Amino acid sequence: MALSSMTGFARSHGASGPYTFEWELKSVNAKGFDLRLRLPPGWDDIEAPAKKRAGELLVRGTVYANLNVKRTNAVAQVRINEDVLAAVVKVAGQVAGKIDAVAPSVDGLLAIKGVIEVVEPESDEEEDKAAKAAAMTAFEQALTNLVDMRRREGATLGQVLGARMDEIEKLARRAEAAPGRKPEAIRARLAEQVATLLQTSDRFDQDRLAQEALLIATKADIREELDRIASHIAQAREMLGKGGPVGRRLDFLAQEFNREVNTCCSKSNDIELTNTGLEMKNVVEQFREQVQNLE
């Protein structure tokens, strides 16, 4: 399966009978999946099948779907609301009898709200049914285009994430080979620190200091963290290779990466190893940010 981004955009057009329509779909990042439809009045029938179909193709992301519909060759009818007009004329006559006023003109009467009504032509049930079916076909096309775009972006993301894994692996190897974590280097630093303590006071127990030094050296070892980082790299590459909706799992893995790197930095008592850990932490953060875009 291919990797997919959660962001994308697509349009499609269609026509049926007197209707022309356009779909516009926009997808953004989200924890789950949500289709938010914007339909013109009278087109609610297609909401349920549209949501069902989108849910079959998409796993994560909020999709905003907007349907614009126009009806061609349909001339609206203009008619006079006789009841409203009669009421207006009656009131105008009553007012005219009380004050010296000019009789209302025809255009003045017609300008009064409610006197003129614009009535849309009645629709044909069969035409409407065919148009909604055609709109669903157009929605399917827009959805397919959206999925294709998300997959293209997902392929690019996969390359970026793979490059981040290469960087993390390279830095992990550098940490592994750091001279400061070799036993003899740790022993020399501890010996120097112990010697300094013994010079400042004669009350230190040398045997006890040796035991404490051994304990410190054991705690400073990052072998276990480096092994886990290597395991996480292998898992990430496997998920990227398989594809599909792996965004959540990779996000969790990024948190695990961050935890191990933080531990490496906290255990380090060597400036070169600390700098390597900080570089790795920066790359892990870049990895995590890009993973947020994956389905």
Side-chain angles (χ1 to χ4, degrees), residues 110-132:
L110 296 179
I112 296 173
K113 186 177 180 180
V115 173
I116 290 182
E117 295 178 342
V118 179
V119 182
E120 294 294 330
E122 293 185 4
S123 59
D124 181 89
E125 186 177 344
E126 290 301 319
E127 283 183 346
D128 288 356
K129 185 177 179 181
K132 289 172 183 177

PDB file of all heavy atoms in Angstrom, residues 110-132:
ATOM      1  N   LEU A 110     -44.890  48.454  -6.236  1.00  0.00           N
ATOM      2  CA  LEU A 110     -44.176  47.207  -6.541  1.00  0.00           C
ATOM      3  C   LEU A 110     -42.859  47.077  -5.786  1.00  0.00           C
ATOM      4  O   LEU A 110     -42.351  45.970  -5.596  1.00  0.00           O
ATOM      5  CB  LEU A 110     -43.908  47.119  -8.047  1.00  0.00           C
ATOM      6  CG  LEU A 110     -45.151  47.030  -8.944  1.00  0.00           C
ATOM      7  CD1 LEU A 110     -44.746  46.966 -10.414  1.00  0.00           C
ATOM      8  CD2 LEU A 110     -45.989  45.808  -8.578  1.00  0.00           C
ATOM      9  N   ALA A 111     -42.314  48.230  -5.359  1.00  0.00           N
ATOM     10  CA  ALA A 111     -41.048  48.202  -4.621  1.00  0.00           C
ATOM     11  C   ALA A 111     -41.232  47.761  -3.179  1.00  0.00           C
ATOM     12  O   ALA A 111     -40.260  47.435  -2.496  1.00  0.00           O
ATOM     13  CB  ALA A 111     -40.379  49.567  -4.678  1.00  0.00           C
ATOM     14  N   ILE A 112     -42.464  47.742  -2.712  1.00  0.00           N
ATOM     15  CA  ILE A 112     -42.717  47.333  -1.323  1.00  0.00           C
ATOM     16  C   ILE A 112     -42.492  45.827  -1.189  1.00  0.00           C
ATOM     17  O   ILE A 112     -42.978  45.033  -1.994  1.00  0.00           O
ATOM     18  CB  ILE A 112     -44.150  47.710  -0.904  1.00  0.00           C
ATOM     19  CG1 ILE A 112     -44.307  49.234  -0.921  1.00  0.00           C
ATOM     20  CG2 ILE A 112     -44.465  47.168   0.482  1.00  0.00           C
ATOM     21  CD1 ILE A 112     -45.728  49.704  -0.678  1.00  0.00           C
ATOM     22  N   LYS A 113     -41.738  45.481  -0.141  1.00  0.00           N
ATOM     23  CA  LYS A 113     -41.384  44.073   0.073  1.00  0.00           C
ATOM     24  C   LYS A 113     -42.632  43.210   0.233  1.00  0.00           C
ATOM     25  O   LYS A 113     -43.528  43.543   1.003  1.00  0.00           O
ATOM     26  CB  LYS A 113     -40.512  43.952   1.320  1.00  0.00           C
ATOM     27  CG  LYS A 113     -39.967  42.553   1.546  1.00  0.00           C
ATOM     28  CD  LYS A 113     -39.046  42.526   2.753  1.00  0.00           C
ATOM     29  CE  LYS A 113     -38.500  41.124   2.985  1.00  0.00           C
ATOM     30  NZ  LYS A 113     -37.603  41.077   4.160  1.00  0.00           N
ATOM     31  N   GLY A 114     -42.681  42.124  -0.516  1.00  0.00           N
ATOM     32  CA  GLY A 114     -43.769  41.170  -0.414  1.00  0.00           C
ATOM     33  C   GLY A 114     -44.823  41.325  -1.496  1.00  0.00           C
ATOM     34  O   GLY A 114     -45.626  40.410  -1.714  1.00  0.00           O
ATOM     35  N   VAL A 115     -44.828  42.486  -2.182  1.00  0.00           N
ATOM     36  CA  VAL A 115     -45.818  42.688  -3.252  1.00  0.00           C
ATOM     37  C   VAL A 115     -45.467  41.828  -4.458  1.00  0.00           C
ATOM     38  O   VAL A 115     -46.322  41.178  -5.056  1.00  0.00           O
ATOM     39  CB  VAL A 115     -45.918  44.180  -3.639  1.00  0.00           C
ATOM     40  CG1 VAL A 115     -46.820  44.354  -4.859  1.00  0.00           C
ATOM     41  CG2 VAL A 115     -46.445  44.995  -2.468  1.00  0.00           C
ATOM     42  N   ILE A 116     -44.180  41.822  -4.802  1.00  0.00           N
ATOM     43  CA  ILE A 116     -43.720  40.994  -5.925  1.00  0.00           C
ATOM     44  C   ILE A 116     -43.038  39.753  -5.371  1.00  0.00           C
ATOM     45  O   ILE A 116     -42.213  39.828  -4.462  1.00  0.00           O
ATOM     46  CB  ILE A 116     -42.742  41.773  -6.822  1.00  0.00           C
ATOM     47  CG1 ILE A 116     -43.485  42.881  -7.584  1.00  0.00           C
ATOM     48  CG2 ILE A 116     -42.040  40.840  -7.803  1.00  0.00           C
ATOM     49  CD1 ILE A 116     -42.612  43.647  -8.524  1.00  0.00           C
ATOM     50  N   GLU A 117     -43.370  38.623  -5.907  1.00  0.00           N
ATOM     51  CA  GLU A 117     -42.746  37.356  -5.527  1.00  0.00           C
ATOM     52  C   GLU A 117     -42.078  36.727  -6.741  1.00  0.00           C
ATOM     53  O   GLU A 117     -42.665  36.711  -7.836  1.00  0.00           O
ATOM     54  CB  GLU A 117     -43.786  36.379  -4.967  1.00  0.00           C
ATOM     55  CG  GLU A 117     -44.429  36.829  -3.665  1.00  0.00           C
ATOM     56  CD  GLU A 117     -45.476  35.837  -3.186  1.00  0.00           C
ATOM     57  OE1 GLU A 117     -45.936  35.017  -4.022  1.00  0.00           O
ATOM     58  OE2 GLU A 117     -45.837  35.879  -2.005  1.00  0.00           O
ATOM     59  N   VAL A 118     -40.825  36.278  -6.536  1.00  0.00           N
ATOM     60  CA  VAL A 118     -40.103  35.575  -7.595  1.00  0.00           C
ATOM     61  C   VAL A 118     -40.177  34.085  -7.276  1.00  0.00           C
ATOM     62  O   VAL A 118     -39.686  33.632  -6.235  1.00  0.00           O
ATOM     63  CB  VAL A 118     -38.636  36.033  -7.684  1.00  0.00           C
ATOM     64  CG1 VAL A 118     -37.906  35.256  -8.778  1.00  0.00           C
ATOM     65  CG2 VAL A 118     -38.559  37.529  -7.940  1.00  0.00           C
ATOM     66  N   VAL A 119     -40.821  33.351  -8.130  1.00  0.00           N
ATOM     67  CA  VAL A 119     -41.059  31.926  -7.899  1.00  0.00           C
ATOM     68  C   VAL A 119     -40.204  31.102  -8.844  1.00  0.00           C
ATOM     69  O   VAL A 119     -40.264  31.289 -10.068  1.00  0.00           O
ATOM     70  CB  VAL A 119     -42.558  31.581  -8.095  1.00  0.00           C
ATOM     71  CG1 VAL A 119     -42.801  30.109  -7.812  1.00  0.00           C
ATOM     72  CG2 VAL A 119     -43.430  32.473  -7.232  1.00  0.00           C
ATOM     73  N   GLU A 120     -39.387  30.244  -8.251  1.00  0.00           N
ATOM     74  CA  GLU A 120     -38.583  29.348  -9.067  1.00  0.00           C
ATOM     75  C   GLU A 120     -39.493  28.339  -9.774  1.00  0.00           C
ATOM     76  O   GLU A 120     -40.493  27.899  -9.200  1.00  0.00           O
ATOM     77  CB  GLU A 120     -37.576  28.593  -8.197  1.00  0.00           C
ATOM     78  CG  GLU A 120     -36.512  29.471  -7.564  1.00  0.00           C
ATOM     79  CD  GLU A 120     -35.585  30.080  -8.592  1.00  0.00           C
ATOM     80  OE1 GLU A 120     -35.369  29.440  -9.655  1.00  0.00           O
ATOM     81  OE2 GLU A 120     -35.075  31.184  -8.355  1.00  0.00           O
ATOM     82  N   PRO A 121     -39.144  27.973 -10.995  1.00  0.00           N
ATOM     83  CA  PRO A 121     -39.976  27.010 -11.713  1.00  0.00           C
ATOM     84  C   PRO A 121     -39.969  25.653 -11.021  1.00  0.00           C
ATOM     85  O   PRO A 121     -38.977  25.267 -10.391  1.00  0.00           O
ATOM     86  CB  PRO A 121     -39.299  26.927 -13.090  1.00  0.00           C
ATOM     87  CG  PRO A 121     -37.890  27.362 -12.857  1.00  0.00           C
ATOM     88  CD  PRO A 121     -37.972  28.395 -11.781  1.00  0.00           C
ATOM     89  N   GLU A 122     -41.060  24.987 -11.074  1.00  0.00           N
ATOM     90  CA  GLU A 122     -41.156  23.676 -10.435  1.00  0.00           C
ATOM     91  C   GLU A 122     -40.207  22.695 -11.105  1.00  0.00           C
ATOM     92  O   GLU A 122     -40.052  22.681 -12.327  1.00  0.00           O
ATOM     93  CB  GLU A 122     -42.591  23.153 -10.515  1.00  0.00           C
ATOM     94  CG  GLU A 122     -43.582  23.960  -9.685  1.00  0.00           C
ATOM     95  CD  GLU A 122     -44.959  23.343  -9.703  1.00  0.00           C
ATOM     96  OE1 GLU A 122     -45.108  22.245 -10.296  1.00  0.00           O
ATOM     97  OE2 GLU A 122     -45.882  23.945  -9.127  1.00  0.00           O
ATOM     98  N   SER A 123     -39.573  21.898 -10.267  1.00  0.00           N
ATOM     99  CA  SER A 123     -38.614  20.934 -10.799  1.00  0.00           C
ATOM    100  C   SER A 123     -39.327  19.638 -11.151  1.00  0.00           C
ATOM    101  O   SER A 123     -40.392  19.326 -10.628  1.00  0.00           O
ATOM    102  CB  SER A 123     -37.515  20.666  -9.770  1.00  0.00           C
ATOM    103  OG  SER A 123     -38.082  20.168  -8.576  1.00  0.00           O
ATOM    104  N   ASP A 124     -38.674  18.894 -12.018  1.00  0.00           N
ATOM    105  CA  ASP A 124     -39.183  17.596 -12.426  1.00  0.00           C
ATOM    106  C   ASP A 124     -38.528  16.522 -11.565  1.00  0.00           C
ATOM    107  O   ASP A 124     -37.303  16.486 -11.418  1.00  0.00           O
ATOM    108  CB  ASP A 124     -38.867  17.355 -13.908  1.00  0.00           C
ATOM    109  CG  ASP A 124     -39.395  16.016 -14.374  1.00  0.00           C
ATOM    110  OD1 ASP A 124     -40.555  15.968 -14.808  1.00  0.00           O
ATOM    111  OD2 ASP A 124     -38.635  15.033 -14.275  1.00  0.00           O
ATOM    112  N   GLU A 125     -39.296  15.658 -10.966  1.00  0.00           N
ATOM    113  CA  GLU A 125     -38.775  14.663 -10.039  1.00  0.00           C
ATOM    114  C   GLU A 125     -37.744  13.757 -10.694  1.00  0.00           C
ATOM    115  O   GLU A 125     -36.708  13.442 -10.104  1.00  0.00           O
ATOM    116  CB  GLU A 125     -39.923  13.838  -9.464  1.00  0.00           C
ATOM    117  CG  GLU A 125     -39.480  12.874  -8.373  1.00  0.00           C
ATOM    118  CD  GLU A 125     -40.650  12.121  -7.759  1.00  0.00           C
ATOM    119  OE1 GLU A 125     -41.808  12.546  -7.954  1.00  0.00           O
ATOM    120  OE2 GLU A 125     -40.390  11.119  -7.076  1.00  0.00           O
ATOM    121  N   GLU A 126     -38.014  13.329 -11.894  1.00  0.00           N
ATOM    122  CA  GLU A 126     -37.082  12.440 -12.591  1.00  0.00           C
ATOM    123  C   GLU A 126     -35.788  13.165 -12.925  1.00  0.00           C
ATOM    124  O   GLU A 126     -34.695  12.591 -12.831  1.00  0.00           O
ATOM    125  CB  GLU A 126     -37.735  11.891 -13.871  1.00  0.00           C
ATOM    126  CG  GLU A 126     -38.853  10.903 -13.614  1.00  0.00           C
ATOM    127  CD  GLU A 126     -38.386   9.699 -12.812  1.00  0.00           C
ATOM    128  OE1 GLU A 126     -37.270   9.196 -13.077  1.00  0.00           O
ATOM    129  OE2 GLU A 126     -39.119   9.260 -11.903  1.00  0.00           O
ATOM    130  N   GLU A 127     -35.908  14.436 -13.340  1.00  0.00           N
ATOM    131  CA  GLU A 127     -34.706  15.227 -13.632  1.00  0.00           C
ATOM    132  C   GLU A 127     -33.853  15.395 -12.376  1.00  0.00           C
ATOM    133  O   GLU A 127     -32.626  15.278 -12.434  1.00  0.00           O
ATOM    134  CB  GLU A 127     -35.090  16.598 -14.182  1.00  0.00           C
ATOM    135  CG  GLU A 127     -35.536  16.592 -15.634  1.00  0.00           C
ATOM    136  CD  GLU A 127     -35.835  17.989 -16.135  1.00  0.00           C
ATOM    137  OE1 GLU A 127     -35.946  18.914 -15.308  1.00  0.00           O
ATOM    138  OE2 GLU A 127     -35.950  18.148 -17.367  1.00  0.00           O
ATOM    139  N   ASP A 128     -34.516  15.672 -11.255  1.00  0.00           N
ATOM    140  CA  ASP A 128     -33.786  15.857 -10.003  1.00  0.00           C
ATOM    141  C   ASP A 128     -33.079  14.575  -9.573  1.00  0.00           C
ATOM    142  O   ASP A 128     -31.931  14.598  -9.116  1.00  0.00           O
ATOM    143  CB  ASP A 128     -34.745  16.297  -8.893  1.00  0.00           C
ATOM    144  CG  ASP A 128     -35.220  17.728  -9.084  1.00  0.00           C
ATOM    145  OD1 ASP A 128     -34.729  18.380 -10.029  1.00  0.00           O
ATOM    146  OD2 ASP A 128     -36.066  18.183  -8.298  1.00  0.00           O
ATOM    147  N   LYS A 129     -33.773  13.451  -9.725  1.00  0.00           N
ATOM    148  CA  LYS A 129     -33.191  12.167  -9.349  1.00  0.00           C
ATOM    149  C   LYS A 129     -31.962  11.852 -10.194  1.00  0.00           C
ATOM    150  O   LYS A 129     -30.914  11.415  -9.678  1.00  0.00           O
ATOM    151  CB  LYS A 129     -34.243  11.068  -9.510  1.00  0.00           C
ATOM    152  CG  LYS A 129     -33.782   9.698  -9.021  1.00  0.00           C
ATOM    153  CD  LYS A 129     -34.912   8.676  -9.145  1.00  0.00           C
ATOM    154  CE  LYS A 129     -34.458   7.303  -8.677  1.00  0.00           C
ATOM    155  NZ  LYS A 129     -35.537   6.299  -8.808  1.00  0.00           N
ATOM    156  N   ALA A 130     -32.057  12.108 -11.500  1.00  0.00           N
ATOM    157  CA  ALA A 130     -30.927  11.857 -12.404  1.00  0.00           C
ATOM    158  C   ALA A 130     -29.769  12.797 -12.084  1.00  0.00           C
ATOM    159  O   ALA A 130     -28.593  12.400 -12.138  1.00  0.00           O
ATOM    160  CB  ALA A 130     -31.374  12.039 -13.850  1.00  0.00           C
ATOM    161  N   ALA A 131     -30.096  14.045 -11.747  1.00  0.00           N
ATOM    162  CA  ALA A 131     -29.050  15.022 -11.439  1.00  0.00           C
ATOM    163  C   ALA A 131     -28.284  14.629 -10.180  1.00  0.00           C
ATOM    164  O   ALA A 131     -27.058  14.762 -10.102  1.00  0.00           O
ATOM    165  CB  ALA A 131     -29.660  16.412 -11.271  1.00  0.00           C
ATOM    166  N   LYS A 132     -28.996  14.126  -9.172  1.00  0.00           N
ATOM    167  CA  LYS A 132     -28.328  13.728  -7.932  1.00  0.00           C
ATOM    168  C   LYS A 132     -27.437  12.500  -8.151  1.00  0.00           C
ATOM    169  O   LYS A 132     -26.355  12.392  -7.564  1.00  0.00           O
ATOM    170  CB  LYS A 132     -29.362  13.454  -6.854  1.00  0.00           C
ATOM    171  CG  LYS A 132     -30.043  14.735  -6.362  1.00  0.00           C
ATOM    172  CD  LYS A 132     -31.210  14.467  -5.425  1.00  0.00           C
ATOM    173  CE  LYS A 132     -31.889  15.777  -5.034  1.00  0.00           C
ATOM    174  NZ  LYS A 132     -33.077  15.581  -4.182  1.00  0.00           N
TER     175      LYS A 132
END
